[in-house]
Amino acid sequence: MAAFTLFVLDGFATYEEPLKPHWAFQPLFSKKQIDEAASDSGLSIIDALIETRLERQGLEPNGEADKHTLIRRATYDLTGLPPTPGEISDFVNDRREDAYGKLIERLLASPAYGERWGRRWLDLARYADSNGADENHDYPEAWRYRDYVIRSFNQDKAYDLFIQEQLAGDLVPSSGNLKTDHDQITATGFLALGPKMLAEQDKDKMLIDIVDEQIDVVGQTFMGLTVSCARCHDHKFDPVSQKDYYALAGIFRSTKTMAHTDHVSRWVETVFDDPGNQAIVEKYELDLAALKAEIANLESELDAGKDIEDSAQTSEQAMQLADLRKKLQNLERAGAPVPKAMAVTEGEPLLMPVLARGDHLKPMGEPIPRGVGQLLADCLAPPSVEPSNSGRMELAAWLTDPRHPLTARVMVNRIWQGHFGFGLVRTPSNFGLRGEAPTHPELLDWLAREFMDSAWSIKHMHRTIMLSAAYRRSSQNNLEYSVTDPDNRLLWRQNRRRLEAESIRDAVLFVSGKLDQSGVSSPDNGDKGESYDGKKEEDTEPLIRTVYLPINRARHNEMSATFDAADPAVHHQQREATVVPGQALYMMNNELVMTAARDLAAEFSHLGSQSVPSSLNALYLRLFGRPALPRETEMLVGEGELQPADLKTRVSPTLEDWERICRVLLAANEFVYWN
């Protein structure tokens, strides 16, 4: 096998031994060693490591971006929303040395931070509000997991605890705090939310397919490994054997995901232990009894009138009876509306044998003990699973052990990806042999060590990365450097990026003053906006953030398809950023965007005594985070071709003129891209 190279501060060092166990499976570098090597540079560790590489390649890094660019970049990065003109003015005019640091702290404290970064996590967790697959049933309690994720990011929940709750929160002893206990149960929705073939009549096949899906999302999300490839045969590239796979499969097969496996199977929903439950159940039973009594009375009336010729009244009563019976059926199916979560629980402890080519009808040999097999055994001994346990708690403890070579590396790489557009490893969910090697391996490991040393604080990692000179660089291109390093792997500049589908919708609503930022924690969130495409949204004010809208696996909306939203059926490691004509057409013709243009026009056409250039400056600050350039003002309200010939005879643009201007600016690349 080929050798691999580690770039170290004093030059290149090549480790000639074969790739065993491969760079990602080796222990992390010593943080102290890296700190000492970089200490004489006078730079932060991040910048010392990056600039050493740049100097070695004869490249000079870009200087710092201007303050208008910095606040827009940081605000979009951390909240997914644009900065307001007031926030821009405050930051640009703040001459204190710590102004930028204070900006970062303000953004991290915003509830919008959890909505932004929670949405990133939901991509990994393949979140949706319906099943998809063969029968697209709603997941009525899925929203609780979504809100748990958003809440966890806003609370800066330690990442090791975040993992433990999602894999085994139902097994954690009660904290004595109902809200915390409920969160721990809700967190296991991570395992429960995947698509399932509910109408599959071979129920053993359905259950092992669910296990396979759970192994896939756990392996890619937490370890950056495609473990599920070993279901049918030993992994073709990574050191994951079939025995390793079925050791993990035993853990999840011993976990109860499905409440029953009837003709159409049903997933587990765990009722929260809450003192208010009794009153809810009592009211439900009274409502049920009253409905049954109403049905019985109506049936008696209809029976009594059998001998009478049919009449309009009889027909109306029959229709009413049918409606009541349907209401009763739905009420009985739903049960008492006590608070509950889509979750998993402990099942009967089982051992899985290796299945020939993954076929549940073809077991081979003796059952495999539950655990992780020999996966990463060179770095970290596999956990011992008690015979009476599923092994989820032991798996979670193994993943969050500081000696684990992958967990911290994978997460800090995802955080880096969120701030630069690409991770130091550009295959963020594949750290195996077919994935890319890190461009800055010692930086990746330093960040991983720093992450664990900060008690697994994700917000600490945001601060650490965003305060670096590398993050604050201009994104200005350099033609010579773009030949040497066309993909900017050496980080001599920042990367220009496009907003994701959700943030585009949110930004349109935000700049037009229609976005409700109060947050939503309700299964009825669809009442405030049925889809991303705006077809029903203009009827409701204000409108919620896109993260709170229901996601239907069987019916993707227009904005999702147009702007590369994540496929909710699978773990999604990184959003694409395609550039296709349909995106421009969407921004020019979509009703939501046109409504926003009308709202903006109504506001800016009533600015009174302000001059037109001042009004345009204010509009540009709202949409692009910067003042308008003189040539832009001239183009829009001077003698530019966009304007009617008689505009020069008017005192100021009309409402129709402002609407046209706003539509042009909302459709501009600069609205959906930031530097």
Side-chain angles (χ1 to χ4, degrees):
M1 301 179 75
F4 78 104
T5 301
L6 292 178
F7 299 99
V8 294
L9 291 173
D10 57 355
F12 290 99
T14 304
Y15 293 77
E16 298 295 348
E17 66 263 30
L19 278 174
K20 186 179 184 303
H22 176 58
W23 69 266
F25 308 149
Q26 295 186 23
L28 276 66
F29 292 154
S30 163
K31 184 170 181 284
K32 181 180 179 182
Q33 184 180 11
I34 297 174
D35 286 342
E36 290 175 351
S39 61
D40 294 336
S41 68
L43 302 171
S44 72
I45 300 297
I46 291 176
D47 294 317
L49 293 171
I50 289 174
E51 293 189 22
T52 296
R53 290 287 309 281
L54 288 171
E55 183 179 352
R56 191 176 292 148
Q57 298 298 316
L59 304 179
E60 288 282 338
N62 281 2
E64 184 167 302
D66 64 80
K67 296 188 82 171
H68 283 94
T69 298
L70 277 181
I71 186 172
R72 192 168 191 250
R73 178 188 300 169
T75 307
Y76 268 133
D77 261 7
L78 289 180
T79 70
L81 297 172
T84 66
E87 291 167 347
I88 295 170
S89 177
D90 289 346
F91 177 66
V92 169
N93 295 317
D94 190 340
R95 303 303 177 189
R96 294 173 296 179
E97 290 186 4
D98 62 349
Y100 178 69
K102 288 184 178 297
L103 167 66
I104 301 303
E105 293 304 319
R106 176 177 64 78
L107 296 172
L108 287 173
S110 167
Y113 160 75
E115 293 165 338
R116 165 67 159 169
W117 280 80
R119 179 58 258 181
R120 291 183 179 278
W121 185 263
L122 296 177
D123 281 9
L124 307 175
R126 80 285 186 231
Y127 175 82
D129 295 277
S130 76
N131 178 57
D134 56 351
E135 297 211 1
N136 188 43
H137 291 274
D138 288 342
Y139 284 163
E141 303 298 334
W143 64 276
R144 293 188 190 275
Y145 175 78
R146 176 203 68 204
D147 286 7
Y148 157 81
V149 168
I150 292 170
R151 196 159 51 245
S152 295
F153 274 92
N154 276 331
Q155 293 169 350
D156 196 21
K157 180 171 288 181
Y159 183 63
D160 58 344
L161 177 59
F162 190 51
I163 292 175
Q164 291 163 12
E165 289 181 343
Q166 291 179 87
L167 293 182
D170 59 308
L171 304 178
V172 176
S174 172
S175 66
N177 181 295
L178 284 178
K179 189 173 181 180
T180 300
D181 291 349
H182 295 172
D183 267 2
Q184 290 168 350
I185 292 170
T186 301
T188 65
F190 175 82
L191 296 174
L193 282 163
K196 304 165 183 66
M197 300 295 286
L198 298 174
E200 169 66 65
Q201 294 308 295
D202 186 338
K203 297 305 180 181
D204 287 336
K205 180 181 184 302
M206 181 195 72
L207 293 174
I208 192 61
D209 287 346
I210 290 172
V211 166
D212 183 69
E213 196 271 341
Q214 290 168 334
I215 290 175
D216 183 59
V217 73
V218 168
Q220 291 195 74
T221 300
F222 300 126
M223 293 189 288
L225 290 181
T226 55
V227 179
S228 64
C229 291
R231 175 177 177 175
C232 301
H233 47 70
D234 290 348
H235 202 294
K236 295 290 188 183
F237 309 106
D238 297 336
V240 184
S241 69
Q242 269 193 295
K243 288 185 177 180
D244 295 337
Y245 175 91
Y246 285 100
L248 278 168
I251 292 177
F252 295 111
R253 188 64 181 84
S254 302
T255 299
K256 189 174 183 180
T257 305
M258 306 306 295
H260 64 71
T261 54
D262 296 345
H263 180 76
V264 177
S265 303
R266 179 76 180 186
W267 53 89
V268 169
E269 289 180 334
T270 301
V271 175
F272 293 144
D273 183 12
D274 192 287
N277 285 355
Q278 184 176 350
I280 293 173
V281 171
E282 289 174 354
K283 182 180 184 304
Y284 168 78
E285 291 175 346
L286 288 172
D287 292 343
L288 206 62
L291 185 56
K292 288 178 178 178
E294 187 177 358
I295 290 172
N297 289 337
L298 194 54
E299 287 173 338
S300 298
E301 290 178 16
L302 284 170
D303 286 342
K306 278 183 179 178
D307 297 332
I308 303 175
E309 291 186 5
D310 289 342
S311 65
Q313 180 179 355
T314 304
S315 177
E316 183 179 344
Q317 286 177 321
M319 292 177 61
Q320 184 182 358
L321 180 60
D323 289 342
L324 290 174
R325 285 172 173 166
K326 185 175 181 180
K327 183 178 179 181
L328 176 63
Q329 183 182 26
N330 291 337
L331 199 61
E332 289 178 329
R333 181 186 296 122
V338 292
K340 55 192 173 185
M342 189 175 182
V344 300
T345 63
E346 286 289 81
E348 178 187 353
L350 297 171
L351 299 180
M352 291 288 297
V354 171
L355 303 179
R357 301 199 62 78
D359 187 341
H360 68 291
L361 298 176
K362 298 178 180 178
M364 300 192 305
E366 295 296 317
I368 307 299
R370 291 190 300 282
V372 298
Q374 294 303 302
L375 195 63
L376 309 177
D378 290 346
C379 275
L380 182 60
S384 176
V385 177
E386 292 293 326
S388 60
N389 299 341
S390 66
R392 285 183 290 126
M393 185 67 83
E394 292 88 343
L395 173 61
W398 177 77
L399 280 169
T400 54
D401 189 304
R403 295 169 294 172
H404 199 291
L406 287 170
T407 308
R409 277 175 172 150
V410 167
M411 188 55 183
V412 296
N413 189 64
R414 296 195 195 283
I415 298 171
W416 187 275
Q417 172 189 337
H419 292 305
F420 287 86
F422 298 96
L424 296 169
V425 177
R426 293 201 172 197
T427 51
S429 291
N430 188 354
F431 275 42
L433 275 74
R434 298 292 285 182
E436 291 197 23
T439 55
H440 299 75
E442 61 276 87
L443 175 54
L444 179 68
D445 280 13
W446 183 88
L447 290 168
R449 294 279 190 193
E450 180 72 10
F451 188 31
M452 291 187 287
D453 288 350
S454 70
W456 300 85
S457 167
I458 294 174
K459 287 190 177 182
H460 173 77
M461 298 313 299
H462 289 306
R463 295 183 190 98
T464 301
I465 293 170
M466 297 179 74
L467 289 172
S468 70
Y471 176 80
R472 291 180 287 170
R473 295 199 212 294
S474 161
S475 63
Q476 182 68 39
N477 197 18
N478 180 310
L479 293 179
E480 179 184 349
Y481 290 4
S482 64
V483 173
T484 305
D485 181 22
D487 294 329
N488 190 32
R489 290 175 180 266
L490 298 179
L491 300 169
W492 49 271
R493 62 175 172 85
Q494 219 344 325
N495 294 308
R496 189 167 185 249
R497 285 174 284 158
R498 196 197 72 201
L499 293 175
E500 297 91 343
E502 296 88 347
S503 289
I504 292 173
R505 173 186 174 277
D506 292 347
V508 169
L509 293 173
F510 184 84
V511 298
S512 63
K514 290 294 182 65
L515 185 65
D516 178 1
Q517 297 184 73
S518 62
V520 172
S521 292
S522 167
D524 300 320
N525 49 42
D527 290 349
K528 289 192 177 181
E530 190 167 281
S531 64
Y532 296 28
D533 59 20
K535 292 178 181 176
K536 288 196 175 183
E537 297 194 272
E538 66 271 19
D539 299 329
T540 307
E541 291 190 50
L543 299 163
I544 57 175
R545 289 199 72 169
T546 310
V547 70
Y548 295 113
L549 296 182
I551 297 173
N552 189 323
R553 282 193 172 115
R555 190 182 68 222
H556 296 178
N557 55 66
E558 183 183 356
M559 180 169 275
S560 292
T562 304
F563 290 100
D564 312 300
D567 180 354
V570 294
H571 165 97
H572 201 93
Q573 65 174 344
Q574 184 166 357
R575 296 286 183 98
E576 300 296 327
T578 60
V579 180
V580 294
Q583 293 164 352
L585 293 171
Y586 182 95
M587 296 302 290
M588 288 189 291
N589 298 296
N590 178 262
E591 181 60 32
L592 178 66
V593 181
M594 291 192 288
T595 299
R598 288 192 290 270
D599 291 338
L600 284 165
E603 178 181 349
F604 282 88
S605 65
H606 288 89
L607 288 180
S609 60
Q610 288 194 27
S611 68
V612 172
S614 295
S615 299
L616 268 181
N617 267 342
L619 181 59
Y620 265 70
L621 275 174
R622 178 87 64 88
L623 301 185
F624 303 149
R626 63 171 178 84
L629 300 173
R631 60 181 176 80
E632 292 168 329
T633 302
E634 176 65 20
M635 178 182 70
L636 290 172
V637 296
E639 297 180 355
E641 60 183 22
L642 293 176
Q643 299 304 315
D646 64 343
L647 179 61
K648 289 180 288 184
T649 66
R650 303 179 192 164
V651 175
S652 64
T654 65
L655 177 62
E656 290 74 18
D657 294 328
W658 276 112
E659 184 176 336
R660 182 164 50 250
I661 289 169
C662 291
R663 288 184 64 183
V664 167
L665 297 183
L666 284 170
N669 273 355
E670 192 173 354
F671 182 69
V672 296
Y673 283 86
W674 83 96
N675 295 322

